[in-house]
Amino acid sequence: MSGHSKWATIKHAKGAADAKRGQLFTKLAKEIIIAAKDGGGDINMNAKLRMIVSKAKAANMPNDNIERAIKKGTGEIEGGQIIEMTMEGYGPGGAAILVDILADNRMRAIQEVRANFSRGGGSLGENGSVAWQFEPKGIITLDITGKDPDEITLLAIDAGADDVKQDGTVLEIITDPQNLENVKNTISEAGWELQNVEFTKIAKNTMELEEATALSVLRLMSRLEDLDDVNNVTTNVNFSNEVLEKFED
């Protein structure tokens, strides 16, 4: 397994703390602004916006905040000047790392990301230096404790999923971004509870690192995720369960 679903689970757990200090809502608002700006403010006509609003509601983001972010994206009210960009770099052990950014101040975001790469034993790369190693995907993760993984696998594949991977009690469903909503709805309507649903990028090929180096990569990714302007961080490292358990401790 790529390790992506396990990293996503860690991020999901961190989200509870993020929400207490308002950071999670700020990040979700930026996602909503960009989605509304790109595809309009009608959630019935904008699948990406519909997915993000659903995620925001699941995180208990107030409806007023959601509506305000949509209006900023459509230009109905001021404050929707969000810059969307991706920074590329290398972590410890040569790990490829992509950092997706949503910011209202480009230079501040670049400086903060650069500083964290440096402190974490990594370095920024040129545009295109590592992006070619990744491809856009939709990811759904589920806890299948006490359930039949074959049932959900068949359901997901029939709904248009590209692949399904299992690691213990975690099931990771990988889709084309355009199929994510249909697969999500099919699974939800069948009564399955979803842990996490997101648009992301995943590595075409993964690499293994020795434990200490892999932990250093995770620490760098976690610091980057904690930045207000960072929307998503992904790597080509395949993290073992042992490494992830030690990181969480």
Side-chain angles (χ1 to χ4, degrees):
M1 181 174 244
S2 66
H4 180 91
S5 65
K6 291 173 283 188
W7 167 241
T9 299
I10 289 175
K11 291 196 296 179
H12 181 72
K14 281 163 59 65
D18 289 343
K20 290 179 182 178
R21 58 182 185 267
Q23 187 186 54
L24 178 61
F25 291 168
T26 299
K27 292 189 175 190
L28 286 167
K30 290 178 181 178
E31 288 189 69
I32 292 169
I33 289 170
I34 289 293
K37 181 179 179 180
D38 291 343
D42 186 348
I43 63 172
N44 295 314
M45 301 296 292
N46 186 338
K48 185 175 182 180
L49 178 61
R50 188 161 58 246
M51 289 284 298
I52 297 169
V53 167
S54 176
K55 182 168 71 171
K57 289 183 176 180
N60 296 316
M61 185 174 180
N63 288 331
D64 286 349
N65 293 30
I66 294 172
E67 290 299 323
R68 186 163 55 250
I70 291 174
K71 288 180 179 179
K72 286 181 179 180
T74 58
E76 295 176 63
I77 59 177
E78 295 182 356
Q81 301 305 310
I82 302 297
I83 299 164
E84 186 176 17
M85 62 182 178
T86 298
M87 296 180 69
E88 307 172 40
Y90 299 93
I97 298 178
L98 284 185
V99 185
D100 292 324
I101 293 169
L102 298 177
D104 56 10
N105 185 314
R106 178 185 178 90
M107 289 309 301
R108 180 194 65 217
I110 292 173
Q111 290 169 0
E112 288 181 345
V113 169
R114 179 184 288 117
N116 276 274
F117 263 100
S118 179
R119 285 196 292 267
S123 61
L124 286 179
E126 299 293 332
N127 288 341
S129 57
V130 301
W132 60 272
Q133 300 182 50
F134 299 83
E135 57 186 343
K137 289 291 182 182
I139 300 288
I140 301 169
T141 54
L142 306 90
D143 183 343
I144 56 170
T145 302
K147 300 174 182 176
D148 182 5
D150 291 338
E151 180 183 342
I152 186 63
T153 296
L154 290 173
L155 188 65
I157 295 297
D158 286 344
D162 292 342
D163 197 9
V164 179
K165 299 179 180 180
Q166 182 179 353
D167 185 3
T169 60
V170 175
L171 203 68
E172 177 184 73
I173 300 170
I174 303 169
T175 79
D176 182 279
Q178 294 183 340
N179 292 337
L180 179 60
E181 186 181 28
N182 183 59
V183 176
K184 167 190 170 291
N185 291 341
T186 299
I187 295 170
S188 295
E189 289 166 6
W192 294 82
E193 184 176 350
L194 310 181
Q195 276 189 325
N196 190 58
V197 181
E198 65 177 332
F199 294 102
T200 188
K201 300 181 184 79
I202 64 173
K204 298 174 185 176
N205 296 290
T206 59
M207 66 183 297
E208 305 285 341
L209 293 175
E210 60 95 17
E211 184 176 285
T213 305
L215 283 168
S216 294
V217 173
L218 276 173
R219 284 191 286 269
L220 170 57
M221 292 175 69
S222 182
R223 281 194 293 267
L224 289 167
E225 284 276 359
D226 282 341
L227 297 176
D228 287 343
D229 293 328
V230 171
N231 185 53
N232 187 51
V233 181
T234 190
T235 183
N236 65 340
V237 176
N238 181 16
F239 299 114
S240 68
N241 287 325
E242 291 75 18
V243 166
L244 287 158
E245 287 169 2
K246 286 190 176 183
F247 175 74
E248 288 183 282
D249 292 338

